């Protein structure tokens, strides 16, 4: 599926990013992940409300910790 509308969910590995996506999608049918790995996932979501219809996709990924050289600025 080639989806034009994408929502990026980015955060540290210890944060429950898929839980956030599930909260946003509450009340809708959660489709299985289109692609998934240990650190990232793509989750399709068809938004269909009375006023708006769109095919979207959540891109969930993790960031790496900053090195000490970047945090000492």
């Amino acid at each position: 599926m080639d989806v034009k509308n994408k929502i990026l969910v980015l955060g540290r590995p210890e944060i429950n990013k898929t839980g956030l996506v599930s909260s946003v999608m509450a009340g809708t049918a959660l489709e299985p992940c289109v692609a998934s790995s240990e650190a990232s996932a793509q989750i399709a979501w068809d938004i269909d409300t009375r006023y708006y219809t769109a095919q979207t996709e959540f891109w969930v990924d993790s960031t790496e910790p900053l090195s000490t050289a970047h945090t000492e600025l």
Side-chain angles (χ1 to χ4, degrees):
M1 170 169 57
D2 186 30
V3 178
K4 183 173 136 180
N5 303 309
K6 294 180 176 50
I7 302 166
L8 177 63
V9 180
L10 190 63
R12 296 290 174 108
E14 63 272 8
I15 302 300
N16 184 10
K17 295 169 290 297
T18 54
L20 172 68
V21 172
S22 295
S23 295
V24 170
M25 296 175 67
T28 64
L30 177 64
E31 291 187 23
C33 291
V34 173
S36 180
S37 71
E38 203 171 293
S40 65
Q42 295 175 8
I43 304 169
W45 183 30
D46 291 333
I47 302 172
D48 188 15
T49 68
R50 194 166 131 183
Y51 304 104
Y52 184 75
T53 301
Q55 289 183 331
T56 61
E57 191 171 69
F58 286 94
W59 285 38
V60 182
D61 208 347
S62 294
T63 60
E64 296 179 6
L66 292 175
S67 67
T68 55
H70 289 98
T71 58
E72 293 177 355
L73 295 178

